[in-house]
Amino acid sequence: MTTRAEPGDDQSDPGLSAIMSERRRLINLGYRLLGSLADAEDVVQETYARWYAMSAREQQAIESPGAWLVTVASRICLNLLGSARARRETYVGDWIPEPLPEPTEWITGRSGVGGIDPADRVTLDESVTMAFLVVLDSMTPAERVAFVLHDVFRYPFGEVAEIVGRTPAACRQLASSARRRIRTAQAPSGPSAGQAGIVRQFRTAWEAKDIDALISLLDPDATATADGGGLAVTHLHPIVGGEQIARAYAEIARVSGDRTTFLECTVNGLPGLVARQDGNIATVFAFEIAGDRIRHIWAVRNPEKLRPWRSS
């Protein structure tokens, strides 16, 4: 929710700045729960709308407005997660979490793509890597909310239980189940600097259409998943196998020719690539790297998920 402060607003509503200062925390929470910056912003707008729908007396009766906002936002997310599963059944191709825009290139430090308001910036840590979000998306809504609130935002299980509508013991079990999923799915990763070098080598080999070099950088069991949402041309099913991915990506490079250029940008906190075609951002690539090999590539081409990257 965008609220424009007018002169004197802080004097007439001394709690306004305190309430609005929660916006970034709510954006961070909503993104981790939903995997979509756009949906997180909608949740925050709805949360503030509910706050301002209350009378001044009702607002003053709330002991901790910040906790109230988090509770309301979490419950909205929980409802959305339930309906999202039904919507995904009609989604064209694979659904990938919306990549976070990052305005600097990880090699040069120069401005790469459009930035966003600092109040809306999501804090980058391991809980927003693409690999982590993909695992979160495989969880039940209750598992995801319980895990994110407790393990990421450090809310005690007693408070989580009130939000989820389960007992504290049940929420503890939900979070434990979520942790097992994450341990099973996530690959051990090396230092970010080493990952950047591997992504750069991948870019160089891809631009050169060097299939052998691409194969050497890919895990033999690697997977490449693309998300076009029916709005952009891409492969509808994951490509499995390092050699198969190398040949498919070399063909993509051959077809796109000189129309495509790459920026080496941070994507969800880790080295990634942004492809421009004819001057427009067409694809954002996130990578999962285990050791010195690429284990997974996520290519987001759905233009609706790339809007924050195109803003300037």
Side-chain angles (χ1 to χ4, degrees):
M1 182 183 212
T2 302
T3 303
R4 186 177 296 279
E6 300 294 340
D9 270 359
D10 287 342
Q11 289 150 0
S12 61
D13 183 2
L16 177 62
S17 60
I19 290 298
M20 296 310 296
S21 69
E22 297 291 332
R23 178 178 175 84
R24 184 172 183 184
R25 179 161 61 147
L26 297 177
I27 288 285
N28 272 271
L29 175 66
Y31 178 75
R32 286 165 174 81
L33 289 179
L34 300 175
S36 166
L37 193 57
D39 287 347
E41 290 168 346
D42 289 343
V43 167
V44 173
Q45 181 171 335
E46 174 62 20
T47 301
Y48 278 123
R50 294 187 186 186
W51 171 265
Y52 285 108
M54 295 190 295
S55 67
R57 179 175 295 180
E58 289 172 322
Q59 292 173 358
Q60 292 165 5
I62 295 173
E63 183 176 345
S64 174
W68 184 93
L69 292 168
V70 167
T71 297
V72 170
S74 298
R75 287 174 177 165
I76 295 172
C77 288
L78 186 59
N79 290 334
L80 288 174
L81 284 170
S83 61
R85 288 180 171 250
R87 294 199 307 271
R88 300 277 175 81
E89 293 178 1
T90 61
Y91 194 82
V92 179
D94 286 283
W95 188 93
I96 296 175
E98 184 180 310
L100 285 174
E102 187 63 22
T104 57
E105 298 176 50
W106 44 261
I107 292 294
T108 65
R110 296 174 306 189
S111 176
V113 298
I116 58 176
D117 190 314
D120 292 340
R121 185 170 296 284
V122 174
T123 303
L124 300 177
D125 58 32
E126 66 177 6
S127 68
V128 295
T129 65
M130 191 62 74
F132 197 93
L133 290 173
V134 168
V135 180
L136 287 180
D137 199 55
S138 70
M139 299 177 185
T140 67
E143 275 182 330
R144 186 167 186 169
V145 173
F147 173 80
V148 169
L149 284 173
H150 180 266
D151 284 47
V152 179
F153 287 87
R154 303 302 178 189
Y155 278 79
F157 282 119
E159 294 181 24
V160 175
E162 294 181 9
I163 293 171
V164 179
R166 309 280 184 96
T167 65
C171 290
R172 189 174 286 107
Q173 290 180 340
L174 288 169
S176 178
S177 173
R179 285 185 217 109
R180 285 195 298 272
R181 287 178 185 257
I182 290 170
R183 284 196 298 268
T184 300
Q186 280 198 303
S189 59
S192 180
Q195 294 187 48
I198 292 169
V199 173
R200 168 169 269 192
Q201 291 176 54
F202 181 85
R203 170 194 172 176
T204 302
W206 188 8
E207 290 176 325
K209 310 176 192 62
D210 187 336
I211 293 176
D212 289 338
L214 288 171
I215 291 173
S216 71
L217 293 167
L218 290 158
D219 186 281
D221 298 318
T223 304
T225 307
D227 179 347
L231 302 174
V233 176
T234 190
H235 49 92
L236 289 177
H237 304 289
I239 305 172
V240 180
E243 183 174 346
Q244 289 78 1
I245 294 170
R247 294 187 183 284
Y249 271 55
E251 178 63 14
I252 291 171
R254 186 191 69 77
V255 172
S256 62
D258 296 332
R259 294 173 51 234
T260 303
T261 57
F262 291 97
L263 291 175
E264 297 169 334
C265 289
T266 299
V267 179
N268 288 67
L270 292 174
L273 295 174
V274 173
R276 290 182 181 271
Q277 288 185 344
D278 302 322
N280 300 312
I281 291 178
T283 314
V284 172
F285 296 90
F287 298 84
E288 182 184 35
I289 296 172
D292 59 355
R293 296 287 186 96
I294 295 170
R295 182 170 120 161
H296 207 124
I297 302 171
W298 292 278
V300 180
R301 287 182 52 78
N302 185 335
E304 293 182 350
K305 295 184 178 184
L306 299 181
R307 285 177 185 170
W309 291 80
R310 292 168 173 163
S311 63
S312 56

